[in-house]
């Protein structure tokens, strides 16, 4: 999990895929955190992505660092604690203009039952689970 976290943090932007009905939706994301042994992401409850993850918690994300790419399949589980919100917003102070812990909009999801595959054109793929 630490390796997945460090890769995503280094990339800065990754692409999160969710499902809306039977239509996949993909968008750039930038938040990634480790909180109490879970890899977590952040969004706002007012956003479509929030409703999509609540309705269909199976998600995938993909990132590329210029040399290799990472694909992660996981289950997004809402982490409702204010402590998780504080931890995320301390890691991303630029979001504090839009989000505050306990504001009723800030939402954290833990990525559980994750399978992460590191791939490149020059080496065999490698898979880790968390």
């Amino acid at each position: 999990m630490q390796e997945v976290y460090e890769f995503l943090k280094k990339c800065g932007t990754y692409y999160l895929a969710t499902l809306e009905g039977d239509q996949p939706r993909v968008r750039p994301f930038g938040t990634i955190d480790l909180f109490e042994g879970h890899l977590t992401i952040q969004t706002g409850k007012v956003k479509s992505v929030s409703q999509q993850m609540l309705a269909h918690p199976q998600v995938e994300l993909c990132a590329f660092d210029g040399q290799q790419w990472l694909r992660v399949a996981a289950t997004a589980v809402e982490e409702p604690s204010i402590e998780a919100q504080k931890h995320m917003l301390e890691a991303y102070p630029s979001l504090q203009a839009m989000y505050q812990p306990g504001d009723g909009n800030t939402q954290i999801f833990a990525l559980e039952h994750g399978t992460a595959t590191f791939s490149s054109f020059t080496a065999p793929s490698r898979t880790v689970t968390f």
Side-chain angles (χ1 to χ4, degrees):
M1 184 184 316
Q2 182 70 34
E3 182 181 15
V4 172
Y5 166 76
E6 289 173 7
F7 187 92
L8 293 171
K9 195 78 168 168
K10 176 176 68 171
C11 288
T13 299
Y14 58 89
Y15 297 87
L16 177 71
T18 59
L19 192 61
E20 183 176 55
D22 62 356
Q23 179 65 46
R25 300 291 181 195
V26 179
R27 84 273 299 140
F29 248 65
T31 57
I32 194 72
D33 198 16
L34 282 175
F35 179 73
E36 294 185 351
H38 292 94
L39 198 58
T40 60
I41 61 176
Q42 183 271 332
T43 191
K45 288 183 180 181
V46 299
K47 294 185 176 183
S48 314
V49 66
S50 167
Q51 301 313 308
Q52 292 160 10
M53 287 190 287
L54 291 170
H56 303 282
Q58 294 306 118
V59 299
E60 288 200 7
L61 58 88
C62 186
F64 182 64
D65 72 357
Q67 300 293 319
Q68 64 178 338
W69 60 93
L70 171 67
R71 286 187 216 150
V72 177
T75 303
V77 177
E78 187 175 16
E79 167 51 73
S81 76
I82 298 295
E83 292 78 20
Q85 295 176 20
K86 287 179 183 177
H87 198 268
M88 179 69 75
L89 293 172
E90 287 172 5
Y92 292 91
S94 63
L95 293 177
Q96 293 176 16
M98 298 175 3
Y99 300 101
Q100 290 296 313
D103 64 6
N105 184 38
T106 301
Q107 189 172 37
I108 305 296
F109 285 91
L111 300 179
E112 297 186 355
H113 312 292
T115 300
T117 304
F118 292 89
S119 302
S120 77
F121 291 115
T122 60
S125 294
R126 184 173 53 84
T127 300
V128 297
T129 58
F130 57 92

